[in-house]
Amino acid sequence: TFLTLIDTVEVPLRFANDMILNTSSELANPFLDAVKNLPAQDSMKMGFTLKVTNRIPLAMKIKMTAVNASDSSLFVVESGNIRAADGIGSNGFATDTALTSTKLQFTTEQINLLKDVPTFKVEFVVSATQSTGFVALRPSDYIRIDVAASLSDGVKLELKKK
C-alpha cells in the first residue's frame, strides 16, 4: 500500500503571533486493502512515526479523522506538536530548522473500525505562537516529513486450509 498526499496551500507571507490556520484534504483509506480480510484484532496497535524537519517559522499538528460512508466521524488520531523553525530573527524569518519526532497512533479498536472507513480527512493545524510579534515566510522555507509505519502486539490471522 502506498500513501501519497500532495497539497498546496496559499498563505499570507506574514503572520501575527496569534494566528491559527487549518487546512485539510481528503485521502482514500490507504489501509483498506490490508485490513478488509483481517479478522477482528485483540491487541494489535499500528502507528506512524513522523520525523519532521521544519524550516517554516510556524508550529503545527497533523490530525487524521476517519470518516464512514455517511460522512460521519468514527475516530480521530492526532500527532504531537511539531515545533516551529528555530531562531526566529527580528525580521520574522527562520534562521535554523527544528527537528521533531512524533507519532500518529491507532488503537486496537480504531484498527477494527478501519474496514468501515473509505476516507480520511487529513488536517494540518498550523499556529504562530512565538514570542516575536510576527513571523514571515520566504520561498526557501520548507517542511519535510519522513514517515515510518509500525505494528506492535501481533496481528491475528485466520488461516484456512484449501
Side-chain angles (χ1 to χ4, degrees):
T1 301
F2 294 96
L3 175 64
T4 304
L5 178 64
I6 298 172
D7 202 359
T8 302
V9 180
E10 292 186 19
V11 294
L13 296 178
R14 194 168 178 168
F15 305 93
N17 63 359
D18 60 350
M19 185 277 305
I20 295 178
L21 172 71
N22 188 339
T23 181
S24 66
S25 294
E26 286 201 356
L27 172 70
N29 183 349
F31 313 112
L32 203 50
D33 289 341
V35 299
K36 68 181 176 185
N37 295 319
L38 280 180
Q41 297 299 302
D42 296 329
S43 61
M44 179 176 141
K45 293 180 184 72
M46 175 181 70
F48 293 110
T49 299
L50 309 174
K51 292 188 179 186
V52 182
T53 305
N54 190 1
R55 176 67 187 222
I56 297 171
L58 301 167
M60 73 175 66
K61 282 188 172 189
I62 300 172
K63 289 173 57 174
M64 289 181 71
T65 303
V67 180
N68 66 14
S70 303
D71 209 29
S72 298
S73 171
L74 296 177
F75 62 86
V76 176
V77 293
E78 185 174 308
S79 74
N81 290 324
I82 298 170
R83 292 181 29 226
D86 289 332
I88 309 298
S90 61
N91 59 3
F93 292 134
T95 59
D96 199 1
T97 58
L99 303 176
T100 304
S101 290
T102 187
K103 292 185 177 188
L104 288 167
Q105 194 72 37
F106 295 84
T107 66
T108 303
E109 294 78 18
Q110 291 167 337
I111 292 166
N112 287 329
L113 289 172
L114 286 176
K115 295 175 186 176
D116 302 322
V117 177
T119 58
F120 282 97
K121 179 180 174 186
V122 181
E123 298 175 79
F124 294 88
V125 183
V126 182
S127 60
T129 54
Q130 71 290 334
S131 58
T132 58
F134 66 94
V135 294
L137 296 180
R138 55 185 159 194
S140 61
D141 289 339
Y142 64 93
I143 186 164
R144 177 180 166 178
I145 304 174
D146 295 319
V147 180
S150 65
L151 293 174
S152 62
D153 297 333
V155 177
K156 183 177 173 183
L157 301 173
E158 287 182 359
L159 302 175
K160 296 180 182 176
K161 280 187 167 180
K162 289 190 176 192

